[in-house]
Amino acid sequence: MDERAVFDRFHDALELEPRPGAYERFRADFTNPSVAANRRPVFQLRFSRMGLRVAAALAVVAIAIALVAGYVATHRSTSQVPATHTQTVTTSPAAHSMDPAVALPRDFPKDFPVYPGARPTFVGGDTSFGTTIFTINWETTDSIDQAYAWYQTSLGQGDWTITSKTAGADGDSISFARKSKSSCTGDVVISQRYPGVTQIDVTVCG
Amino acid sequence: MWFDRGEADLIEAAQAGDRTAFAELLRPVYETALRLAGALLQDADEAEDAVQEAAFSAWRRIGNLREGSSLRPWFFGIVANRCRAVKRNKWWSISRSEPPEAEAPATDLAMSIDLRRALRRISYDERLILVLRYYLDMPYEEIATTLGISTKAARTRVERAIHRLRPIMQVQGAMA
């Protein structure tokens, strides 16, 4: 695709007509200090209709869990528990669920290190350069630091070697190459997908 | 009347606390800032809110604008950061359905939706640099100033983002 076509496609896809009079509204607010002082806070939380539904569903789930926990606790207290037995209750912070799993392509390189327990959630591929380039996303509930440390080790082993590492605001990334085929390069970008869910975004040659 | 004053004069006046001068400084860039926010957020109301928040933020930080610097890339950087915060704060929201575009031919519409979906799958920074380059038609030099990176880095990041976008769009095209 030539660059002119890319410009045209972006303009076609993203053109969004701003509401008329936006500048005049800003100017009126800005040059009238009493209005500016009373404007809404920067971090106002606005829930969409879907957000409210999700919040309601979460509230129902929380109530259900509380009821079940209460039922279990009541019945446990009446059951036989050895006097020396100590129960340890652990709680984990509420985490967002991961996206649905998808199947990896059959020709995805078998020796590429896949983070243990990670779920593949997106699969893409491109063969327009004479070789296949895969774009795969995995998700894990482990932290960014855990995944990053694991790939730092794993991509320095076998037929893989790390060529550069960067830490950015949008995630940490590791660029790598095959030892046996230096033209085969790729990168791993590790970032937060949702609270409690880490995304591992891999681009690698086939 | 401000229209005959140069940008440097207006910046100096704004830095001295002149609100009218600051509003005049923003006049020529406001529309483009709305288009930038609209492309990043895909919602006209949220875009207007984000640009207005960015404008107030810029006013509070106008003293940081260095002498000889242009307001345009500096302000776009603030708008981009504001849009990033809006996206981060609404992680729970579900993508709304695409707006009807009745007059567009079916194939063009499908391609536009494909591109918007593909843009959602890449990182915010990649989306931002593609919007700056291919939607706002910015030269690499201005992209570099907006993002605070070198021109070479801006070119490399655009190429890398396009490279990332291509396979996603191809897969979506195959699935459609």
Side-chain angles (χ1 to χ4, degrees):
Chain A
M1 192 186 297
D2 68 68
E3 196 169 44
R4 188 65 256 164
V6 178
F7 276 105
D8 291 342
R9 285 196 65 177
F10 269 78
H11 279 269
D12 289 345
L14 299 181
E15 203 66 65
L16 187 76
E17 197 61 36
R19 292 195 306 170
Y23 174 75
E24 287 70 26
R25 279 190 291 280
F26 157 70
R27 190 188 173 99
D29 280 3
F30 182 72
T31 52
N32 182 348
S34 62
V35 174
N38 291 328
R39 60 198 302 280
R40 62 172 178 263
V42 171
F43 294 108
Q44 186 187 37
L45 199 58
R46 282 175 295 166
F47 283 92
S48 63
R49 187 179 296 176
M50 182 58 76
L52 287 171
R53 286 180 191 160
V54 171
L58 289 174
V60 169
V61 170
I63 291 168
I65 290 171
L67 289 173
V68 170
Y71 176 82
V72 170
T74 307
H75 282 70
R76 276 205 183 156
S77 63
T78 58
S79 64
Q80 294 291 326
V81 179
T84 55
H85 181 76
T86 308
Q87 280 189 320
T88 306
V89 178
T90 57
T91 56
S92 59
H96 196 282
S97 59
M98 291 192 282
D99 291 318
V102 297
L104 283 180
R106 284 184 183 174
D107 47 350
F108 185 75
K110 299 281 186 289
D111 63 335
F112 183 80
V114 175
Y115 190 74
R119 175 190 291 182
T121 56
F122 174 78
V123 170
D126 175 22
T127 52
S128 61
F129 300 103
T131 181
T132 302
I133 296 171
F134 293 104
T135 301
I136 315 280
N137 292 353
W138 280 272
E139 288 177 15
T140 174
T141 52
D142 289 351
S143 69
I144 293 177
D145 289 344
Q146 284 175 298
Y148 188 73
W150 190 85
Y151 270 105
Q152 268 191 307
T153 304
S154 302
L155 287 171
Q157 297 172 346
D159 196 27
W160 305 99
T161 182
I162 292 173
T163 54
S164 68
K165 292 180 279 189
T166 52
D170 218 41
D172 297 335
S173 68
I174 301 173
S175 297
F176 57 86
R178 262 197 191 283
K179 287 178 187 167
S180 59
K181 186 182 175 188
S182 60
S183 62
C184 172
T185 60
D187 49 46
V188 178
V189 180
I190 300 168
S191 58
Q192 187 179 50
R193 172 73 167 155
Y194 307 114
V197 177
T198 296
Q199 177 167 296
I200 301 164
D201 185 351
V202 172
T203 305
V204 60
C205 59
Chain B
M1 298 291 283
W2 296 104
F3 57 79
D4 56 348
R5 295 179 63 177
E7 185 182 28
D9 287 346
L10 288 171
I11 290 174
E12 195 178 333
Q15 288 179 328
D18 186 335
R19 298 177 84 92
T20 311
F22 182 73
E24 281 307 308
L25 267 173
L26 287 192
R27 183 192 290 277
V29 299
Y30 211 79
E31 173 84 11
T32 311
L34 285 169
R35 292 177 63 224
L36 169 62
L40 291 170
L41 300 173
Q42 282 298 298
D43 184 299
D45 292 339
E46 284 187 345
E48 184 174 339
D49 282 355
V51 172
Q52 201 172 106
E53 299 289 358
F56 276 82
S57 175
W59 167 246
R60 288 191 293 272
R61 292 149 61 182
I62 187 70
N64 297 344
L65 188 58
R66 273 176 273 171
E67 193 180 341
S69 300
S70 172
L71 177 112
R72 185 180 141 103
W74 179 75
F75 181 57
F76 289 164
I78 295 173
V79 171
N81 284 336
R82 183 70 212 131
C83 292
R84 182 198 302 272
V86 171
K87 299 289 276 185
R88 194 178 289 147
N89 289 345
K90 57 174 234 176
W91 57 265
W92 62 81
S93 72
I94 307 294
S95 302
R96 59 186 69 186
S97 58
E98 302 298 336
E101 295 172 51
E103 293 183 12
T107 50
D108 288 354
L109 180 59
M111 285 170 69
S112 293
I113 292 172
D114 269 357
L115 180 57
R116 286 203 290 264
R117 282 183 185 150
L119 284 169
R120 285 192 204 117
R121 301 230 41 136
I122 60 177
S123 71
Y124 180 84
D125 284 345
E126 289 170 327
R127 194 180 323 138
L128 170 61
I129 204 162
L130 290 178
V131 166
L132 292 175
R133 175 65 182 153
Y134 293 113
Y135 183 57
L136 297 189
D137 307 340
M138 271 190 190
Y140 287 111
E141 291 74 15
E142 191 175 11
I143 294 173
T145 311
T146 301
L147 301 181
I149 57 178
S150 70
T151 305
K152 185 171 182 291
R155 190 180 292 272
T156 305
R157 287 195 196 178
V158 168
E159 287 168 1
R160 181 186 153 100
I162 275 289
H163 186 74
R164 291 264 295 116
L165 199 63
R166 188 178 285 119
I168 299 172
M169 291 188 65
Q170 284 190 347
V171 168
Q172 286 179 346
M175 289 191 306

